[in-house]
Amino acid sequence: MRPQALSTMQWEPLEQSLSAQQRALLPTDQDIAFYRQHGWFVTPPVISDDIIEQAIAGAERYYQGERDAVLPVNEGFSDWQPRDGLDLVRNNEFVSLQSQALRQLALQPVVGAIAAKLAGTQQIRLLDDQLVYKPPQDHTAQTSVGWHADRAYWANCTSDQLLTAWIPFHDCDIDMGPLVVIDGSHQWSGLEHLRGFHRTDLTQLSAQLQQMGIDHSIKEIPLALRKGQVSFHNCWTIHGSYPNRSQRTRLAIAVHLQDAANHYRPYQNDQGQAIHMFDEQLCRTLPNGDPDFSDPSVFPKLWSEP
């Protein structure tokens, strides 16, 4: 069956309510205070094995080229293809707009409800997502993901309460190359140009920060998670990930989330050049011509307070 255009796709609806068991797992006031002080938070297991197993099958189909919906633009974003090579980090963006199984995981209401508590907002919408695959037995550190702050890539957003949910598809210990955050770094200034996702040398962060005029002590926190757990980090939190030195493939999805107040703004870099996000090419426009970052076909709601 041929995939549908994104604009005509009728996605299976997600249940927007939480069970009593899920509500019991929402962040406490103490958890929220921790997140706001440290810039990251790890949940107990909140996602069922069934949802994750469906997502694993969906990822396999995605890598084989199967799509439920197609984007109106097919270049200008990270989109690994088999011709790029098999023994490297695979980074595919906007997968939840193309695969029903991956969408079911990325848009879990419990993920949105947790994010809403942490960000102090009544609504959470999707902003972007990334399916990231790391091959096993990397002894050259080429499967590291370099230090970066997500907000540095999102200059066209107005909010500083954006956040990311990182969801592994399996238990993920240190050897598998989990996400690593720099504790408290979301409170630092001067991170607007920290875009080192593709820099695999994780030993150079201090030098990078000094070049940017930033002088802080660095505390790395590897977020080893069990299957079903989710980590969250603030959009200004510096993070990367270690190489996968284990015997197993590492597969995870990063779900980038926006709060109710976020909207588009025009932005220029230091050279006066207009900066754009790929998201702008997917969504509808407002009467004034600005991209609509609340367009439900591209930025669906994960959660909205009743």
Side-chain angles (χ1 to χ4, degrees), residues 46-47 105-106 108-116 165 167 230 232 255 257 302:
V46 295
I47 299 179
L105 174 60
Q108 282 293 299
V110 68
V111 172
I114 293 169
I167 309 172
V230 181
F232 290 83
V255 186
L257 304 169
L302 279 76

Side-chain angles (χ1 to χ4, degrees), residues 28 35 50 58 73 81 103 113 152 158 208 217 222 231 242 262 266 272 274 285:
T28 64
Y35 170 78
D50 287 347
V73 184
Q81 300 292 326
R103 185 183 184 88
T158 58
Q208 287 177 253
S217 59
S231 73
Y242 293 152
N262 184 58
T285 57

Side-chain angles (χ1 to χ4, degrees), residues 294-305:
S294 65
D295 180 350
S297 66
V298 180
F299 308 113
K301 295 178 189 176
L302 279 76
W303 181 253
S304 186
E305 288 292 336

Side-chain angles (χ1 to χ4, degrees), residues 87-305:
D87 295 326
L88 73 171
V89 173
R90 305 177 189 178
N91 183 21
N92 295 88
E93 290 187 278
F94 301 99
V95 296
S96 69
L97 301 183
Q98 303 173 73
S99 164
Q100 178 68 47
L102 294 172
R103 185 183 184 88
Q104 287 286 328
L105 174 60
L107 302 189
Q108 282 293 299
V110 68
V111 172
I114 293 169
K117 290 283 188 182
L118 297 175
T121 182
Q122 293 189 328
Q123 182 188 102
I124 289 289
R125 304 187 302 270
L126 182 71
L127 180 64
D128 183 4
D129 57 61
Q130 296 170 269
L131 181 68
V132 183
Y133 167 109
K134 289 188 178 188
Q137 296 183 303
D138 173 20
H139 300 294
T140 63
Q142 293 306 298
T143 58
S144 300
V145 170
W147 302 115
H148 62 284
D150 293 334
R151 188 70 170 80
Y153 293 96
W154 302 334
N156 297 105
C157 290
T158 58
S159 177
D160 288 321
Q161 300 307 317
L162 307 171
L163 67 169
T164 293
W166 189 76
I167 309 172
F169 288 38
H170 43 68
D171 292 349
C172 187
D173 60 20
I174 298 296
D175 286 344
M176 294 194 77
L179 194 74
V180 186
V181 295
I182 303 301
D183 192 56
S185 55
H186 66 303
Q187 301 187 52
W188 303 351
S189 59
L191 302 179
E192 293 84 358
H193 304 294
L194 190 61
R195 304 184 191 94
F197 185 94
H198 296 289
R199 295 184 182 181
T200 58
D201 187 352
L202 297 178
T203 67
Q204 297 299 309
L205 180 58
S206 291
Q208 287 177 253
L209 294 177
Q210 288 177 4
Q211 290 175 359
M212 297 165 66
I214 301 170
D215 184 18
H216 288 281
S217 59
I218 295 171
K219 182 180 180 182
E220 296 182 17
I221 308 288
L223 303 182
L225 303 184
R226 303 191 310 278
K227 184 178 180 181
Q229 287 187 287
V230 181
S231 73
F232 290 83
H233 60 267
N234 179 272
C235 60
W236 284 117
T237 299
I238 299 173
H239 61 287
S241 67
Y242 293 152
N244 182 9
R245 304 189 190 280
S246 76
Q247 304 295 314
R248 298 174 55 208
T249 294
R250 198 215 78 175
L251 187 62
I253 190 168
V255 186
H256 306 303
L257 304 169
Q258 51 178 321
D259 56 303
N262 184 58
H263 59 273
Y264 170 84
R265 68 176 181 185
Y267 189 85
Q268 294 182 338
N269 64 15
D270 294 341
Q271 288 74 47
Q273 300 169 317
I275 298 298
H276 295 282
M277 294 168 59
F278 179 77
D279 310 57
E280 299 173 41
Q281 300 183 54
L282 301 179
C283 66
R284 68 192 180 191
T285 57
L286 296 167
N288 67 357
D290 284 348
D292 183 1
F293 281 2
S294 65
D295 180 350
S297 66
V298 180
F299 308 113
K301 295 178 189 176
L302 279 76
W303 181 253
S304 186
E305 288 292 336

